[in-house]
Amino acid sequence: MNAPPGPLATRRLILASVALIGLGNLPFGSRPAHAANDKYPEDAFKQKSQADAIKSLYGRSAEPSDKIKLDAPEIAENGAVVPISVTTTLDKVTSISFLVAENPNALAASYRIPEGTIPTVANRLKMAKTTNVLVIVEADGKLFSATKEVKVTVGGCGG
Amino acid sequence: MASTIRVRATNNGDITEVQALIQHPMDSGFVKDAKGEIIPAHFIQELKFEYDGKAVFVADWGPAVSKDPYVKFSFKGAKKGDEIKISWVDNKGASDTTTAKIS
C-alpha cells in the first residue's frame, strides 16, 4: 500500500492494522476496506445480502439517523431507472453508500466524499422488485443509515 | 469518438454543483438477450471527479446503477472558469476522460 505521507497516511496505517486484526473474524475473507484505502471495493459488491455488503465495505453496522434525508419515489414504474437521492446534516461525512435489499447483490453504489464536498448525492439505480432502499452515511468514523421502501411495478434486473 | 461523458458544472459563489451523464450499457450480468443467452456484466466501476489535482468525488459503482448513469453532487472551493476532470473505468478495463469548465 503506497500511502502518501502526512496525517492521512498515519490514519491509513492504523486502519490497515485494525483491518488486519479484524480479518480473522470476518466471513469470506473480506476486509473493511472502504475507509482504509481508495481501492474499488470489489468484495462488497459481490455480497448478496445487505448485511454482508455493509460488513465487507465498512466492517461494522450502522444505526438509524433522522439526520439523513433519503429521497426515493413511493412507486417506481420502471425498476431499471429509479431516481434516488440523499442529503444529510451530519458532520464530517466521508462516504455515502446505496443498497437495495432484494437485488441480486445488495450494494449498488458507494461514494467517497472528501473534505469540502457537500454530503449530497443524487443517482439512478436499478431495482429488481419492491423492496427497501438503504443508505449508509459514514460520518466522523461512525455509520448511520436511513431506509425507504420503493414499490416497483416492473423490475429492473431483466431476464 | 465523441466523449461518453457529459458534464454540467455550475458555480453559484461558494458551491459548485456538478451533474454528469455517461453513456454506458451498465449490463448487470442478469439479463438475457433475444437468444436467451446471458449478456455478460459490463459496468463502470469507478467514476472520479478531480479539481485542482485532487479528487472531489469518487463513485464506486456496481451493476445496479442504471444504464447511461447519472450522478449529481456539489463541492466547495472552485470558481467560475475553473476546470474539473472527469474519468471512469469499467470492469472490462475500458475508460474515458474529459474536462469541463465550471460556468
Side-chain angles (χ1 to χ4, degrees):
Chain A
M1 204 164 84
N2 293 319
L8 197 65
T10 320
R11 183 170 153 253
R12 282 181 190 185
L13 278 176
I14 293 165
L15 284 167
S17 323
V18 171
L20 282 174
I21 294 160
L23 218 105
N25 312 326
L26 289 170
F28 315 111
S30 57
R31 59 198 192 285
H34 202 273
N37 64 44
D38 295 336
K39 270 219 200 106
Y40 179 74
E42 190 138 17
D43 281 345
F45 279 105
K46 283 183 186 152
Q47 304 304 321
K48 299 214 181 308
S49 77
Q50 261 183 353
D52 287 342
I54 296 166
K55 203 184 266 180
S56 171
L57 195 57
Y58 291 111
R60 60 217 136 98
S61 54
E63 57 177 271
S65 167
D66 57 9
K67 289 182 175 171
I68 303 169
K69 189 169 167 278
L70 172 61
D71 229 342
E74 296 277 338
I75 297 170
E77 278 182 22
N78 180 3
V81 185
V82 185
I84 298 170
S85 65
V86 66
T87 182
T88 176
T89 53
L90 289 161
D91 271 340
K92 297 182 188 164
V93 173
T94 49
S95 75
I96 296 178
S97 301
F98 293 83
L99 298 102
V100 182
E102 299 271 339
N103 271 7
N105 303 102
L107 183 62
S110 182
Y111 299 93
R112 292 175 238 160
I113 314 285
E115 211 182 323
T117 297
I118 320 283
T120 300
V121 181
N123 61 181
R124 296 173 186 158
L125 304 178
K126 293 176 208 165
M127 292 184 66
K129 54 177 143 174
T130 297
T131 184
N132 282 326
V133 173
L134 177 79
V135 62
I136 302 275
V137 175
E138 184 184 23
D140 203 11
K142 297 192 188 75
L143 294 187
F144 301 95
S145 69
T147 184
K148 184 176 177 184
E149 191 193 50
V150 177
K151 291 188 169 64
V152 175
T153 316
V154 181
C157 275
Chain B
M1 199 181 97
S3 175
T4 58
I5 308 171
R6 282 171 58 198
V7 186
R8 181 182 295 162
T10 50
N11 178 283
N12 67 354
D14 191 27
I15 291 167
T16 303
E17 184 185 270
V18 183
Q19 285 175 282
L21 195 58
I22 299 158
Q23 275 175 22
H24 199 282
M26 298 301 283
D27 289 316
S28 68
F30 297 103
V31 180
K32 290 176 184 153
D33 64 15
K35 287 184 212 149
E37 282 165 28
I38 292 272
I39 302 166
H42 184 203
F43 56 96
I44 293 175
Q45 288 190 315
E46 190 180 271
L47 167 69
K48 193 188 274 184
F49 296 80
E50 286 165 282
Y51 168 70
D52 200 16
K54 270 188 262 169
V56 289
F57 190 74
V58 183
D60 289 320
W61 281 347
V65 171
S66 300
K67 181 186 171 182
D68 295 336
Y70 164 86
V71 71
K72 180 170 88 170
F73 74 98
S74 302
F75 71 101
K76 291 180 187 171
K79 56 185 189 304
K80 277 188 211 298
D82 288 352
E83 273 196 346
I84 54 170
K85 183 183 163 197
I86 304 97
S87 56
W88 60 257
V89 58
D90 71 19
N91 66 323
K92 292 182 176 177
S95 63
D96 198 6
T97 304
T98 192
T99 56
K101 197 165 264 188
I102 299 169
S103 60

